[in-house]
Amino acid sequence: MAYTKPKIVILATGGTIAGSIDTSVATTGYTAGVVSADALIQAVPQIKNLAKISTQQIANIDSSNMTDEIQLKLAKEINKLFTSGIDGIVITHGTDTMEETAYFLNLTIKSNKPVVLVGAMRPSTAMSADGPKNLYNAVALAADTLSKDRDVMVAMNDKIQSARGVVKTHCLNVDAFSSPNFGDLGYITDGQVFFCNNITKKTQKKSPFDVSKLTELPKVDILYTYSNDGGAVAAKAFVADGAKGLVIAGSGSGNIHQNQKKVLKELLKEGVNIAISSRVVAGRVVVSKADAKLGFISAEDLNPQKARILLALALTKTNNPKKIQEYFLKY
Ligand code: ASP
């Protein structure tokens, strides 16, 4: 039987991979999100050997400006594409919030087909830009039959990371991503995919979150813990501004300055849901039995920015902290 190439759609959202500046020496100070999806693939004509490619421009932004609206649009579009015979999706995305969008999609895509996020640390105009090779690898990964039944993935710098585990751990280096709690899922060499780790927290099909009818998400904000946190005014301000949930970037395994904690206990009584994460890069938060009884939720091993995503989605289904805790244990 003749080999038919997999059908892959590239959804472009911007980022440094689509960034540009007038000198090839510059890897900072450029404008992210200016080059179109079609121009991106013109730089890597070899991807047409791997798959039948089509493109869609979903947004063209610096991903530090990512919104719930764009993430919802992506999830809905991907779920739609997977019901129309598409075999895999590649999303070009800025690296700043790539882990957040990856995890959001991990929780909301109702398919076991591959979804791969890719970006670049150097703009498209830079000498030795990393975007073209990363994009080639991402398409190879999305087109590979081994990529089915896995978490949403990130393909950067020849490595494969899972949405659940991946964290941006370097501001500038092309080797910007790692998975401190999980390890790499695998790597890609000259378009060949190798998986060396099957660790995954969830099976995509079991995801309980249905965003098909959502146009917005409950507001959840992140509060940092630090020494000398005087009046804990930020917590009150977030709630006054409409936050339904708070994620605490606690110290150590989820500790909170006593001044801040006093305010948080009052907010719990007002019905605000509070998940405790940690500002430490690896490990897991432990919430004492007494604090759990008050309603504090452990974000487990999710960093604050990913815990924010899960808490917002959880709040679309329930306000009960015990039920929300179950989501954090499961997803
Ligand atoms: N600020 C850029 C962005 O996230 C950084 C990058 O893409 O590497 O869009």
Side-chain angles (χ1 to χ4, degrees):
M1 224 167 71
Y3 167 74
T4 47
K5 284 184 204 156
K7 289 188 207 130
I8 304 289
V9 180
I10 297 179
L11 300 177
T13 69
T16 296
I17 192 168
S20 171
I21 190 165
D22 56 5
T23 158
S24 64
V25 175
T27 56
T28 61
Y30 54 87
T31 311
V34 287
V35 176
S36 71
D38 291 329
L40 281 182
I41 66 166
Q42 271 163 27
V44 207
Q46 300 85 342
I47 56 175
K48 296 199 178 118
N49 301 329
L50 301 170
K52 202 163 172 268
I53 304 283
S54 55
T55 61
Q56 255 190 64
Q57 193 81 46
I58 296 286
N60 214 355
I61 59 161
D62 187 308
S63 80
S64 53
N65 297 322
M66 184 48 66
T67 60
D68 289 353
E69 198 188 342
I70 297 174
Q71 288 173 337
L72 284 167
K73 186 174 172 190
L74 268 175
K76 288 177 193 174
E77 187 57 30
I78 295 168
N79 282 327
K80 195 170 97 195
L81 286 166
F82 278 144
T83 58
S84 67
I86 292 302
D87 298 301
I89 302 284
V90 169
I91 302 158
T92 59
H93 197 290
T95 61
D96 287 356
T97 57
M98 185 180 279
E99 70 206 62
E100 294 170 54
T101 301
Y103 185 53
F104 178 80
L105 297 175
N106 207 45
L107 293 169
T108 53
I109 299 300
K110 307 276 181 195
S111 168
N112 62 345
K113 292 181 182 174
V115 177
V116 179
L117 282 90
V118 64
M121 292 301 289
R122 295 176 180 159
S124 65
T125 42
M127 69 171 83
S128 204
D130 52 333
K133 184 70 191 298
N134 285 347
L135 183 57
Y136 183 78
N137 281 346
V139 171
L141 181 59
D144 200 296
T145 49
L146 291 174
S147 296
K148 270 191 174 171
D149 291 318
R150 295 181 185 275
D151 278 12
V152 168
M153 293 177 278
V154 164
M156 289 287 295
N157 200 37
D158 295 347
K159 298 193 294 189
I160 308 166
Q161 318 277 344
S162 78
R164 186 72 177 54
V166 70
V167 183
K168 186 172 184 181
T169 46
H170 201 289
C171 299
L172 293 169
N173 203 296
V174 291
D175 192 21
F177 287 87
S178 55
S179 298
N181 277 322
F182 287 71
D184 299 345
L185 272 186
Y187 51 98
I188 309 161
T189 306
D190 297 341
Q192 235 195 313
V193 173
F194 298 90
F195 283 102
C196 51
N197 183 345
N198 276 324
I199 294 173
T200 167
K201 181 93 176 180
K202 68 175 280 289
T203 311
Q204 288 180 23
K205 278 187 173 157
K206 284 190 194 147
S207 166
F209 304 113
D210 180 3
V211 294
S212 59
K213 293 192 182 68
L214 296 181
T215 52
E216 57 182 14
L217 292 170
K219 185 167 144 55
V220 174
D221 286 302
I222 300 174
L223 203 62
Y224 217 76
T225 294
Y226 47 92
S227 48
N228 201 42
D229 182 5
V233 275
K236 292 182 216 159
F238 280 141
V239 174
D241 191 46
K244 301 282 177 269
L246 292 175
V247 170
I248 316 301
S251 55
S253 58
N255 299 312
I256 301 171
H257 193 294
Q258 57 186 1
N259 294 350
Q260 196 184 83
K261 200 158 180 182
K262 212 169 108 200
V263 173
L264 295 179
K265 283 180 184 171
E266 287 161 22
L267 294 175
L268 280 176
K269 285 191 202 140
E270 288 173 27
V272 178
N273 276 286
I274 302 177
I276 307 176
S277 173
S278 175
R279 56 187 208 175
V280 180
V281 105
R284 178 177 159 266
V285 158
V286 181
V287 166
S288 69
K289 281 201 179 118
D291 280 350
K293 222 169 161 186
L294 293 175
F296 284 110
I297 298 157
S298 164
E300 297 295 314
D301 60 331
L302 282 180
N303 66 20
Q305 54 272 32
K306 285 189 195 171
R308 193 195 72 81
I309 301 271
L310 181 52
L311 183 53
L313 284 168
L315 287 170
T316 64
K317 295 189 69 89
T318 179
N319 288 317
N320 181 329
K322 285 208 176 73
K323 289 220 174 86
I324 297 175
Q325 182 65 75
E326 280 168 27
Y327 287 133
F328 275 94
L329 286 163
K330 223 163 159 188
Y331 300 106

PDB file of all heavy atoms in Angstrom, residues 211 230 256 270 322:
ATOM      1  N   VAL A 211     -14.350  22.750  27.232  1.00  0.00           N
ATOM      2  CA  VAL A 211     -14.344  24.212  27.027  1.00  0.00           C
ATOM      3  C   VAL A 211     -15.186  24.618  25.817  1.00  0.00           C
ATOM      4  O   VAL A 211     -15.208  25.788  25.458  1.00  0.00           O
ATOM      5  CB  VAL A 211     -12.891  24.753  26.870  1.00  0.00           C
ATOM      6  CG1 VAL A 211     -12.108  24.578  28.155  1.00  0.00           C
ATOM      7  CG2 VAL A 211     -12.186  24.125  25.686  1.00  0.00           C
ATOM      8  N   GLY A 230       4.710  42.450  54.635  1.00  0.00           N
ATOM      9  CA  GLY A 230       4.026  43.241  55.653  1.00  0.00           C
ATOM     10  C   GLY A 230       2.534  43.028  55.763  1.00  0.00           C
ATOM     11  O   GLY A 230       2.059  42.235  56.570  1.00  0.00           O
ATOM     12  N   ILE A 256       3.892  29.765  53.878  1.00  0.00           N
ATOM     13  CA  ILE A 256       3.360  31.109  53.588  1.00  0.00           C
ATOM     14  C   ILE A 256       3.679  32.014  54.772  1.00  0.00           C
ATOM     15  O   ILE A 256       3.475  31.620  55.928  1.00  0.00           O
ATOM     16  CB  ILE A 256       1.820  31.051  53.389  1.00  0.00           C
ATOM     17  CG1 ILE A 256       1.472  30.098  52.233  1.00  0.00           C
ATOM     18  CG2 ILE A 256       1.247  32.437  53.136  1.00  0.00           C
ATOM     19  CD1 ILE A 256      -0.017  29.808  52.093  1.00  0.00           C
ATOM     20  N   GLU A 270     -14.536  33.578  53.069  1.00  0.00           N
ATOM     21  CA  GLU A 270     -15.415  34.297  52.110  1.00  0.00           C
ATOM     22  C   GLU A 270     -15.708  33.456  50.868  1.00  0.00           C
ATOM     23  O   GLU A 270     -16.394  33.900  49.955  1.00  0.00           O
ATOM     24  CB  GLU A 270     -14.744  35.604  51.668  1.00  0.00           C
ATOM     25  CG  GLU A 270     -14.707  36.671  52.735  1.00  0.00           C
ATOM     26  CD  GLU A 270     -13.881  37.885  52.317  1.00  0.00           C
ATOM     27  OE1 GLU A 270     -13.767  38.153  51.101  1.00  0.00           O
ATOM     28  OE2 GLU A 270     -13.329  38.544  53.216  1.00  0.00           O
ATOM     29  N   LYS A 322     -12.443  20.284  48.343  1.00  0.00           N
ATOM     30  CA  LYS A 322     -12.081  18.845  48.373  1.00  0.00           C
ATOM     31  C   LYS A 322     -12.102  18.272  46.960  1.00  0.00           C
ATOM     32  O   LYS A 322     -11.222  17.496  46.575  1.00  0.00           O
ATOM     33  CB  LYS A 322     -13.062  18.071  49.267  1.00  0.00           C
ATOM     34  CG  LYS A 322     -12.813  18.304  50.737  1.00  0.00           C
ATOM     35  CD  LYS A 322     -13.260  17.089  51.573  1.00  0.00           C
ATOM     36  CE  LYS A 322     -12.927  17.274  53.022  1.00  0.00           C
ATOM     37  NZ  LYS A 322     -13.811  18.264  53.719  1.00  0.00           N
TER      38      LYS A 322
END
